Structures are given as C-alpha cells and as structure tokens.
Amino acid sequence: MSPATTGTFLLTVYTIFSKVHSDRNVYPSAGVLFVHVLEREYFKGEFPPYPKPGEISNDPITFNTNLMGYPDRPGWLRYIQRTPYSDGVLYGSPTAENVGKPTVIEITAYNRRTFETARHNLIINIMSAEDFPLPYQAEFFIKNMNVEEMLASEVLGDFLGAVKNVWQPERLNAINITSALDRGGRVPLPIDDMKEGVYVMVGADVPFSSCLREVENPQNQLRCSQEMEPVITCDKKFRTQFYIDWCKISLVDKTKQVSTYQEVIRGEGILPDGGEYKPPSDSLKSRDYYTDFLITLAVPSAVALVLFLILAYIMCCRREGVEKRNMQTPDIQLVHHSAIQKSTKELRDMSKNREIAWPLSTLPVFHPVTGEIIPPLHTDNYESTNMPLMQTQQNLPHQTQIPQQQTTGKWYP
C-alpha cells in the first residue's frame, strides 16, 4: 500500500479491543466511516475454564450490542457477524447531531458451548469534522464483495487507493458502507461463490473526474437502460480486485443542491394547525362508575330473569295432562290401545317363564301305525329350548319300519 493510500486510510477509524479489562473509549469523526472489530480471541480469555498459555480454544462466540439503557443500537450504528466462529464488526457513519454526546454501547459476548457471558462497554465520543460534509460524494456498488469483507482494513484501503488514483482529490474519506440486502437486494444463491454486494460512499473536496462523469453521457445511459455494461475508461483500475456496477453509481454535488422546502398551501385536504398538544391537568375530578356498573349488570340480569320465568311457566304450568288427552281420544281407539298393551304384557310374561307345560296340540296321542297310546316325549324337567321343532323317524319310539323295494326285485324286511 502506498503512503498516500495509507494516509487516506487513516481517516477511517478502526479500533480493536485491548487486553485491558476496562471500558474502551474511541473518538470517531462525524461523517467519516467508523469501524470497530470485536475479536473472539479477546473474549476467549473471559470464559472459564481459562485457557493456559499456548492452549488453543475454538468455542463458538456470538455478540449482542445495544445502547446502554435501550434494547437496540443507535440508528447510525450497525453490527454484523457472519458465523459464531468469525469476529463481529460494528460499523456506521456518525451524524452531526451526536457530536459531543458520549454514546455508551454495551457489548455482551456469549460462549455457545459453556453458556458463559462476558460484558464490556464501548464509549464512542463523536468529534466534529472540519470540512463536514465533504461537498462531492460518490457511491459505488461493488458486486463481488460482502459487507464484512469490505470492512476489512486492507480491502477498504485498496479501494480508497483506487478511487484516489481515478479522482485525484486532496481529501478522500469513506463516508458509509451499506450491504445490498439493506437496500432491498436478494440473498444470492450459494453457487459459484456469489456475493451479496455492497454500497460504498466516499467523499472528496474536488469535483468529479472526467472518468466518473462518463456514466452520465447519453451512450452509457442508453446501454444501462438496455441492461448492458457501460463503457468506462477507468474501469480497468478497479477490475483487478473490484467489480463495479457503473449503472448504479451515484454522484452527488452538495454545492449545487437547492433547498427543496416549499411553503405548505392549505387546501381542502389539510387540517388547520391546532397548536401544541395540551394534556389534561391533574386537577380533574374523579368519576364514580358505580352507577354505570349497576346499569350495565342489572339490566341484562333482569331481562334474563324475566325470560327464565316465562319459559318455566310455559314448560311446567301449561301441561295438559293424561286425563285431558283421554277425554279428547275416541273410545274405540282407547280400547284398541288397551288390548295391544295387554297382549304385549302377556307375551313378555310368557317369555320370562319357559318351563310351562307344552300345549296338548303339540304332543302325539297315539302311534300312527299300531294305535297304541304314546307317553309324553319329554318329562317335566326336560329343557324345552333343546327340543327340535320337527322329530325324525329315528327319534320316534315303537316305530314300525316299512319294507323297501330293492332294484333286484327282492324284498327285505
């Protein structure tokens, strides 16, 4: 890195935690990129068991950063850590509104293996810059870099050196760095080593060079509208390390900017100014809500009670009864109904007692051939449920066999 590049790079503030167990003070300038690296190696010694000299420990460590007394960081300060095995980085561009106000950032480190924590404070004292803001600002979009790669001191220094060779300013500062994801970009596919892309804004004290102005000519604007790469003569000075999308470059000249404030003309859609909001005073009288409570509770309860009484009267006090039903029913229908009930009751009683005597019509009285009287086929204690409905000839006693005719013409008894 050349001495000019080194001098330019020193304008960008880089800080790293020291080994002293105390709050760290840093002094960035307003309008200049601020980068603070949270090294895992420093916090490894904070978690027990403490490593011995020469012992290598590779525990996963993550960081949480917030403004003291608040759940998040200031609006200008961002934080990134790609994996638990990489260092965390705080970066951003301090604003002029925070000049002279110490900003205390609480840094909490978490050991994801032992679940131990360590906390330190970073005190940011923002100083005012002499030539803030720089009148000429250019924002480049670098396609082959991620934000944490661009924040590395060597990479950012090489980029500023390339810009200085093209622009030739006396003062050149890195103003801000923004990930393309924060500008609405898509997460790249994990193929071919694709990068997210990063926007880098730099400022200088001299007008833009002719090379940077080439983007504004009609031919290049037409190529950009057709999604073609414009022809830039100084692109080769960046191409060795940085792939710049020249269609997305932004050139801002602060010296030619006109105030955009316009007086508001009140019309139908604008309400008149009502002045400042005046909250009610503490001398307001207390209001008694007891009456409101009774009305709210008593009225629905009374209506529900009346409806319940009407329903109870209809269901219990308006029943016609059995006598009125019988009086309105014809006699012949009552007789039929009574006969059906008696028959049903008699059949149910008979089904309960199956040991009654068999009807005489089902018992044989005499032998069909000899004419002799046959005794009952079953005794009184015979189980009637096992009695077959029809008896075969083999089951009948005193049965006379009838001779059968053979095919040979002989008869056999």
Side-chain angles (χ1 to χ4, degrees), residues 184-201:
R186 290 187 175 183
V187 178
L189 296 176
I191 55 175
D192 299 334
D193 196 24
M194 297 182 66
K195 303 295 184 178
E196 299 172 356
V198 59
Y199 290 89
V200 181
M201 178 176 285

Side-chain angles (χ1 to χ4, degrees), residues 59-278:
D59 293 343
I61 299 176
T62 59
F63 301 94
N64 182 36
T65 59
N66 63 280
L67 182 64
M68 178 175 288
Y70 295 89
D72 203 354
R73 298 175 298 276
W76 61 269
L77 186 63
R78 291 187 291 272
Y79 166 77
I80 186 172
Q81 183 185 17
R82 187 66 65 175
T83 65
Y85 297 95
S86 61
D87 295 336
V89 181
L90 286 169
Y91 67 100
S93 180
T95 58
E97 291 79 6
N98 297 321
V99 172
K101 301 178 182 178
T103 303
V104 181
I105 304 297
E106 293 181 339
I107 302 174
T108 305
Y110 297 90
N111 189 321
R112 295 301 179 181
R113 184 182 66 86
T114 61
F115 301 100
E116 296 286 341
T117 61
R119 177 171 294 179
H120 294 273
N121 293 334
L122 176 67
I123 303 176
I124 303 176
N125 303 280
I126 302 175
M127 310 297 293
S128 61
E130 297 178 358
D131 51 356
F132 173 79
L134 292 173
Y136 302 96
Q137 299 178 1
E139 187 177 55
F140 299 85
F141 177 65
I142 305 175
K143 298 184 290 185
N144 65 326
M145 288 287 175
N146 289 334
V147 63
E148 69 275 7
E149 298 172 349
M150 196 66 198
L151 289 172
S153 59
E154 298 83 2
V155 177
L156 185 58
D158 293 342
F159 178 76
L160 292 177
V163 174
K164 190 170 184 178
N165 291 333
V166 173
W167 201 340
Q168 297 295 329
E170 295 182 3
R171 291 179 54 85
L172 180 68
N173 293 340
I175 298 177
N176 201 1
I177 292 180
T178 308
S179 173
L181 300 182
D182 298 335
R183 297 283 187 90
R186 290 187 175 183
V187 178
L189 296 176
I191 55 175
D192 299 334
D193 196 24
M194 297 182 66
K195 303 295 184 178
E196 299 172 356
V198 59
Y199 290 89
V200 181
M201 178 176 285
V202 297
D205 56 349
V206 297
F208 303 109
S209 63
S210 58
C211 175
L212 298 180
R213 290 288 187 183
E214 291 179 1
V215 184
E216 299 177 348
N217 63 52
Q219 291 79 10
N220 286 330
Q221 291 294 324
L222 178 61
R223 295 178 66 89
C224 289
S225 63
Q226 297 175 352
E227 297 184 357
M228 300 175 61
E229 187 175 355
V231 179
I232 306 297
T233 57
C234 58
D235 180 61
K236 58 184 179 180
K237 297 183 179 181
F238 297 91
R239 183 65 63 174
T240 56
Q241 189 176 358
F242 308 100
Y243 294 159
I244 298 178
D245 188 348
W246 292 99
C247 291
K248 294 184 178 180
I249 190 174
S250 175
L251 304 178
V252 180
D253 187 355
K254 296 286 187 179
T255 60
K256 296 181 180 180
Q257 285 187 349
V258 182
S259 177
T260 58
Y261 174 77
Q262 296 180 359
E263 184 180 357
V264 178
I265 302 176
R266 303 189 180 277
E268 297 179 355
I270 302 178
L271 297 177
D273 187 10
E276 297 181 357
Y277 172 71
K278 297 180 180 180

Side-chain angles (χ1 to χ4, degrees), residues 283-295:
S283 61
L284 292 178
K285 297 181 180 179
S286 60
R287 181 178 176 182
D288 187 9
Y289 292 94
Y290 182 72
T291 305
D292 298 340
F293 173 74
L294 291 181
I295 295 176

Side-chain angles (χ1 to χ4, degrees), residues 29 57 60 197 209 234 248 254 269 282 323 327 346:
S29 299
S57 176
S209 63
C234 58
K248 294 184 178 180
K254 296 286 187 179
D282 298 336
E323 296 181 358
M327 292 175 60
E346 183 178 358

